[in-house]
């Protein structure tokens, strides 16, 4: 009789996803080993070669439709960094930086709310149980935790009626395929109903808050960017807009930010803060109360990396970052290690367990400036019955910092903020732990990862107001500059240059590395948050962050309904389109959860 069994979840849904998890468990369902495989490859790094670096952002941004702007920002920053290295004093106008900060922070808050309600909540919230709730009890509960205006018994009765109609007609739609009734669901029916109502509200809220991107970047998803600033020309007139108005400034006038637009931005910031304060934060704490066992599960690597972001004195003044840069090792918050981007021993990518081959052999790690991406591996690949984990088993590479696996994302950022003495971050973390009566070690867990995302949303939504006020002050003082036109022309560039565009994307530290020769891209490497987290083992056998987290204290109640795996993997907010960005033409999609 077999002593272990293998549970395969492929694909893990409710993400942008081509992610396969295989877990080896003992007969009691306890996970002994876990393997994470990216099963798709799209080749964006390859198609960027030979192109104009000023166009790269538009291609790179198509890596993902979830974190819709981050690859655009990282890409223009990579070119700007190359220019900054080559041309002393190269800088962006302050307004460009403020507008980028607003767009980046808006992306985080939007993405985090969407992740919590639409991608992660149903791991914790039982939709079918919500139908049994007493709307008056849901109203009492909601009013006890928040001042949110939509909390009357009638409101909850309406939501219940709406969802009941779907269920009775067999049209669960967005709620199909849940493990409803699974014993791992612990919320009382009224809490399920409250969360379900907020799931629907968050959909409507999203539609409003994307306007910020549309105003500054012309559209969402995939707002526009430009090397040297932002493509939004500011107009001090109320409604002057698109097209060739009196302030038309050539191609840069893709959108004009007028006073009506800026008022809408102010409204969006208010809507973001209200939803985070009145809905997202209280819901996170209310739901977490019932899942405190998940504060002792999914601990993961204990190593955290943040590139930092949101500068106030320019991208190159890392001390001016609102989210600081640094590395935490072994959960030691007394020390934040610096990151040297140019030391080729620090950041490296390994392919010993990835479906690639390095020209100089697969045992080595390559620094991204010298990184290689080629569809040159000819050994066994998908489709597969079972991953050959002793060999190569993922389209993702394995990024490492000084040879170590790192977790990136909201938890890493919040920990680096706390370790660096950020007051608001520390207060929020302390208050959350106190409210839940949990020790500090609870942060290093599936629950901690999810809670950190909420706390970070609060921190960022609040900070947006400051950048907006500064932008308005600059405009009132007559500074309308949003674009550095100097050095736009590649004939002003050196023959060879290279740079790295770093940012904090919602899922973690993101880096685009560019090498430019004679005005054309000769190498482009994206080292992406979900690659750090979801990548496979490296040459030394060290697991990636997902793998490590699943190997910590998970026992499945029913391996045919592996909700425990979903909870921990979703706590990272995976996005595999980002992580692999190279589609396998022969790949067969296995859409079933399989238990062997
Ligand atoms: Ni496709 Fe992405 C974010 C990036 S994931 S969502 O956030 O970069 O790694
Ligand atoms: Mg890459």
């Amino acid at each position: 009789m077999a002593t272990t069994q293998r549970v395969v979840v492929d694909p893990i849904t409710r993400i942008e996803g081509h992610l396969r998890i295989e877990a080896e468990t003992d007969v009691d369902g306890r996970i002994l080993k876990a393997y994470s495989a990216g099963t798709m490859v799209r080749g964006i790094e390859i198609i960027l070669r030979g192109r104009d670096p000023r166009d790269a952002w538009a291609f790179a941004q198509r890596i993902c439709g979830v974190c819709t702007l981050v690859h655009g920002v990282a890409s223009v920053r990579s070119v700007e960094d190359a220019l900054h290295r080559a041309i002393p004093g190269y800088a962006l106008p302050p307004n460009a930086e403020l507008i980028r900060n607003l767009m980046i922070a808006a992306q985080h808050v939007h993405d985090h709310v969407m992740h919590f309600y639409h991608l992660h909540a149903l791991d914790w919230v039982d939709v079918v149980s919500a139908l049994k709730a007493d709307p008056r009890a849901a109203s009492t509960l909601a009013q006890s935790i928040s001042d949110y205006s939509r909390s009357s018994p009638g409101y909850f009765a309406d939501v219940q009626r709406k969802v009941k109609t779907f269920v009775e007609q067999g049209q669960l739609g967005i709620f199909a395929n849940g493990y409803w009734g699974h014993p791992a669901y612990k919320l009382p029916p009224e809490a399920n109903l409250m969360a379900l109502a907020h799931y629907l509200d968050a959909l409507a809220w999203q539609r409003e808050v994307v306007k910020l991107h549309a105003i500054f970047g012309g559209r969402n998803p995939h707002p526009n960017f430009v090397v040297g600033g932002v493509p939004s020309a500011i107009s001090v007139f109320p409604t002057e807009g698109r097209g060739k108005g009196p302030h038309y400034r050539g191609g840069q006038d893709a959108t004009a930010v007028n006073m009506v637009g800026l008022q809408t931005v102010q409204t969006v910031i208010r809507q973001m803060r209200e939803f985070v304060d009145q809905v997202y934060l209280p819901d996170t704490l209310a739901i977490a109360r019932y899942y405190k066992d998940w504060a002792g599960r999914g601990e993961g690597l204990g190593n955290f990396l943040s590139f930092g972001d949101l500068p106030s004195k320019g991208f190159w003044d890392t001390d001016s970052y609102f989210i600081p840069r640094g590395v935490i090792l072994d959960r030691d918050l007394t020390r934040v290690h610096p990151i040297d981007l140019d030391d080729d021993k620090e950041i490296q990518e390994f392919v010993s367990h990835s479906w690639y081959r390095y020209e100089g052999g697969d045992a080595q790690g390559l620094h991204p400036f010298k990184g290689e991406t080629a569809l040159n591996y000819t050994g066994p690949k998908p489709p597969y019955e079972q991953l050959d984990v002793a060999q190569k088993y993922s389209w993702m590479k394995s990024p490492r910092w000084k040879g170590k696996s790192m977790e990136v994302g909201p938890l890493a950022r919040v920990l680096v903020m706390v370790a660096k003495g950020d007051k608001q971050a520390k207060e929020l973390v302390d208050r959350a732990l106190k409210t839940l009566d949990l020790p500090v070690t609870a942060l290093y867990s599936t629950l901690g990862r999810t809670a950190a995302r909420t706390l970070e949303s609060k921190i960022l939504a609040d900070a947006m107001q400051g950048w907006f006020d500064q932008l308005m002050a600059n405009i009132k003082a007559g500074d309308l500059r949003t674009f550095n036109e100097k050095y736009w022309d590649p004939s002003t560039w050196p023959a060879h240059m290279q740079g790295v565009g770093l940012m904090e994307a919602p899922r973690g530290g993101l880096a685009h590395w560019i090498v430019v020769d004679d005005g054309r891209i000769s190498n482009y490497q994206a080292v992406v948050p979900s690659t750090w987290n979801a990548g496979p083992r490296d040459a030394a056998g060290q697991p990636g962050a997902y793998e490590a987290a699943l190997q910590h204290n998970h026992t499945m109640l029913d391996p045919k309904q592996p909700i425990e795996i979903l909870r921990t993997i979703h706590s990272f907010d995976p996005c595999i389109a980002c992580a692999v960005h190279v589609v396998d033409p022969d790949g067969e999609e296995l859409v079933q959860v399989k238990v062997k």
Side-chain angles (χ1 to χ4, degrees):
M1 200 181 109
T3 52
T4 61
Q5 56 183 347
R6 193 169 281 253
V7 178
V8 179
V9 190
D10 183 4
I12 288 212
T13 53
R14 284 205 173 242
I15 55 168
E16 181 168 323
H18 293 70
L19 175 67
R20 174 185 180 100
I21 297 289
E22 289 195 7
E24 199 181 297
T25 75
D26 65 15
V27 284
D28 299 323
R30 204 169 89 87
I31 295 179
L32 306 171
K33 288 267 167 54
Y35 303 92
S36 162
T39 57
M40 172 183 71
V41 59
R42 286 164 56 226
I44 299 213
E45 288 171 348
I46 299 170
I47 66 168
L48 277 165
R49 283 184 214 141
R51 294 185 187 274
D52 186 326
R54 296 170 300 175
D55 295 341
W57 67 268
F59 291 89
Q61 210 176 37
R62 271 65 190 171
I63 287 172
C64 185
V66 178
C67 54
T68 74
L69 73 78
V70 304
H71 295 284
V73 175
S75 182
V76 292
R77 280 182 174 169
S78 72
V79 185
E80 290 157 359
D81 184 52
L83 289 169
H84 180 82
R85 289 165 183 240
I87 300 159
Y90 180 85
L92 265 54
N95 290 341
E97 181 171 281
L98 290 165
I99 290 173
R100 284 189 187 176
N101 284 359
L102 286 167
M103 293 177 80
I104 294 166
Q107 170 79 75
H108 279 250
V109 177
H110 176 183
D111 203 328
H112 290 353
V113 168
M114 181 185 72
H115 173 261
F116 184 79
Y117 289 101
H118 306 140
L119 304 181
H120 198 23
L122 302 184
D123 300 339
W124 313 98
V125 173
D126 185 335
V127 172
V128 173
S129 153
L131 301 180
K132 299 186 200 118
D134 173 1
R136 276 164 309 182
S139 169
T140 307
L141 169 69
Q143 291 177 6
S144 75
I145 63 167
S146 163
D147 297 334
Y148 185 51
S149 59
R150 292 158 72 84
S151 64
S152 66
Y155 162 70
F156 288 110
D158 278 350
V159 169
Q160 211 174 30
R161 207 171 305 123
K162 202 187 279 178
V163 176
K164 232 175 215 158
T165 314
F166 288 150
V167 174
E168 280 164 3
Q169 295 175 344
Q171 294 180 328
L172 263 172
I174 48 176
F175 304 125
N177 299 326
Y179 298 140
W180 314 131
H182 192 293
Y185 284 115
K186 302 287 188 209
L187 294 182
E190 60 270 19
N192 282 317
L193 179 58
M194 180 182 76
L196 179 62
H198 295 164
Y199 179 116
L200 300 174
D201 282 1
L203 285 173
W205 172 88
Q206 276 196 59
R207 187 181 59 217
E208 294 304 309
V209 298
V210 292
K211 288 177 182 167
L212 187 147
H213 281 182
I215 288 163
F216 288 130
R219 60 210 209 92
N220 173 293
H222 298 142
N224 297 306
F225 285 95
V226 66
V227 171
V230 290
S232 16
I234 296 171
S235 164
V236 294
F237 295 99
T239 57
E240 184 179 64
R242 291 134 223 266
K244 299 190 182 187
H247 291 259
Y248 180 66
R249 292 202 274 155
Q252 197 211 356
D253 200 15
T255 59
V257 179
N258 58 38
M259 286 301 131
V260 169
L262 288 165
Q263 278 162 18
T264 305
V265 169
Q266 175 61 84
T267 305
V268 168
I269 293 171
R270 187 176 49 73
Q271 289 169 320
M272 286 191 148
R273 297 180 73 182
E274 282 176 3
F275 201 82
V276 170
D277 285 343
Q278 298 178 6
V279 187
Y280 182 22
L281 189 52
D283 281 1
T284 303
L285 295 174
I287 294 172
R289 271 185 50 209
Y290 292 93
Y291 290 107
K292 282 162 65 168
D293 50 332
W294 285 84
R297 188 167 299 140
E299 178 172 275
L301 299 165
N303 299 331
F304 300 92
L305 177 145
S306 162
F307 288 131
D309 204 341
L310 305 163
S312 57
K313 290 188 192 139
F315 173 66
W316 296 281
D317 184 348
T318 50
D319 289 339
S320 80
Y321 285 12
F322 183 76
I323 300 174
R325 177 173 295 176
V327 164
I328 289 170
L329 293 178
D330 298 328
R331 301 173 193 86
D332 177 6
L333 299 184
T334 64
R335 209 161 153 217
V336 180
H337 303 260
I339 301 172
D340 183 342
L341 299 166
D342 290 295
D343 179 343
D344 59 12
K345 295 276 174 297
E346 287 212 3
I347 293 175
Q348 295 182 323
E349 287 194 299
F350 291 82
V351 294
S352 27
H353 288 284
S354 316
W355 287 307
Y356 306 98
R357 288 228 181 275
Y358 282 161
E359 276 180 25
D362 291 354
Q364 62 180 336
L366 291 183
H367 187 266
F369 277 140
K370 303 213 173 80
E372 296 174 17
T373 307
L375 301 182
N376 56 356
Y377 174 68
T378 52
K381 270 198 298 245
Y384 30 62
E385 272 302 300
Q386 188 166 316
L387 297 173
D388 184 357
V389 294
Q391 307 292 325
K392 293 172 181 279
Y393 62 91
S394 180
W395 283 117
M396 281 179 237
K397 296 175 180 171
S398 308
R400 296 291 182 263
W401 180 76
K402 292 195 177 175
K404 294 179 195 302
S405 310
M406 293 284 144
E407 175 172 341
V408 299
L411 178 58
R413 290 188 285 257
V414 167
L415 291 174
V416 173
M417 286 181 108
V418 168
K420 288 254 188 179
D422 184 282
K423 259 192 163 157
Q424 189 190 12
K426 180 140 188 2
E427 269 171 32
L428 283 167
V429 166
D430 288 347
R431 206 185 320 149
L433 291 172
K434 197 163 165 232
T435 307
L436 295 170
D437 190 21
L438 285 170
V440 106
T441 49
L443 292 170
Y444 309 108
S445 70
T446 297
L447 192 71
R449 213 168 274 124
T450 295
R453 189 172 292 108
T454 309
L455 302 182
E456 173 180 76
S457 302
K458 160 83 179 145
I459 294 168
L460 292 175
D462 287 355
M464 288 174 74
Q465 189 63 47
W467 296 312
F468 182 75
D469 293 344
Q470 186 60 49
L471 176 65
M472 294 306 285
N474 290 355
I475 294 171
K476 283 187 185 134
D479 181 3
L480 304 185
R481 290 170 306 142
T482 56
F483 175 52
N484 178 357
E485 312 168 329
K486 225 173 153 190
Y487 308 109
W488 170 250
D489 183 348
S491 69
T492 62
W493 301 353
H496 172 85
M497 60 180 193
Q498 60 184 34
V500 51
L502 298 167
M503 72 165 304
E504 284 296 325
R507 288 156 196 75
L510 168 64
H512 285 206
W513 308 73
I514 195 170
V515 182
V516 179
D517 284 293
D518 300 319
R520 295 276 153 181
I521 297 172
S522 53
N523 199 3
Y524 201 98
Q525 292 286 319
V527 182
V528 180
S530 291
T531 322
W532 285 97
N533 287 340
R537 281 161 173 72
D538 57 31
Q542 300 176 96
Y546 291 6
E547 296 177 332
L550 279 177
Q551 289 173 186
H552 177 246
N553 197 17
H554 286 75
T555 300
M556 279 177 281
L557 290 174
D558 174 5
K560 291 197 169 56
Q561 298 201 325
I563 194 169
E564 296 84 2
I565 292 180
L566 298 188
R567 286 178 175 173
T568 288
I569 294 298
H570 286 166
S571 76
F572 287 92
D573 189 5
C575 177
I576 305 315
C578 276
V580 188
H581 44 91
V582 189
V583 175
D584 178 50
D586 313 315
E588 257 177 40
E589 194 147 296
L590 303 171
V591 289
Q592 301 289 334
V593 169
K594 299 196 308 180
V595 182
K596 291 191 197 172

